[in-house]
Amino acid sequence: MWKRPRRGGHAHRDDIPPVELCDQCGAVFPADRAVCALVPDSSCAQGRGGRADGLRLLTACGEQHLEELREDYRRRPFVEEELWAAKVTQALSAGPPALTVAEVARRTGLHEPEIHRAVLWHNRRLREAREQPDP
């Protein structure tokens, strides 16, 4: 197919190097300078039965910021119910809504007792958030 020639002075998408965003400071930097690590995070569900469920990929502009991020996640408790709630939320928001616990179980790979515990955990968190005074 014929392509129109580029006019001078305009960057072409192929000319723009890939960039990353530091999860700690928000700086934008060249992707080839990124330092990354996987850390446990019970709020992170990647997909149905995904091996990466419960893991979050951190990206930082340098080793110091990566270590600060790792430390933040080390202090954060890993709560199974939170992971299950993330899986349930993902299943309910992808495609037609699930109407039964059995359907949610098929979509998430969770057992019915885990789904019930996830819903209880989620509802308790919502209730606690509503009870907190606004800053």
Side-chain angles (χ1 to χ4, degrees), residues 7-89:
R7 296 180 189 222
H10 291 99
H12 187 283
R13 283 188 183 261
D14 295 337
D15 298 335
I16 301 172
V19 295
E20 284 288 349
L21 182 68
C22 180
D23 294 334
Q24 180 68 5
C25 70
V28 176
F29 57 93
D32 61 354
R33 290 191 12 228
V35 288
C36 302
L38 284 172
V39 295
D41 179 3
S42 55
S43 71
C44 193
Q46 303 298 326
R48 182 180 176 169
R51 289 178 284 166
D53 285 348
L55 294 173
R56 179 172 303 280
L57 178 64
L58 301 177
T59 302
C61 60
E63 288 294 335
Q64 181 180 351
H65 280 185
L66 184 61
E67 188 52 38
E68 291 169 9
L69 288 163
R70 281 182 172 149
E71 187 57 34
D72 289 344
Y73 280 90
R74 275 188 207 106
R75 287 191 299 259
R76 189 179 189 281
F78 191 94
V79 180
E80 289 289 335
E81 290 83 358
E82 181 179 31
L83 177 58
W84 300 338
K87 289 177 148 196
V88 169
T89 299

Side-chain angles (χ1 to χ4, degrees), residues 88-97 107:
V88 169
T89 299
Q90 186 176 60
L92 292 173
S93 61
R107 290 184 185 188

Side-chain angles (χ1 to χ4, degrees), residues 92-135:
L92 292 173
S93 61
L99 301 176
T100 66
V101 174
E103 181 63 27
V104 173
R106 279 193 295 278
R107 290 184 185 188
T108 62
L110 298 173
H111 299 284
E112 290 188 25
E114 294 168 332
I115 294 167
H116 289 293
R117 286 175 54 190
V119 170
L120 289 171
W121 179 89
H122 176 75
N123 290 343
R124 185 173 47 249
R125 292 286 304 240
L126 284 177
R127 191 171 44 254
E128 290 169 358
R130 282 193 299 259
E131 293 170 358
Q132 293 292 323
D134 289 330

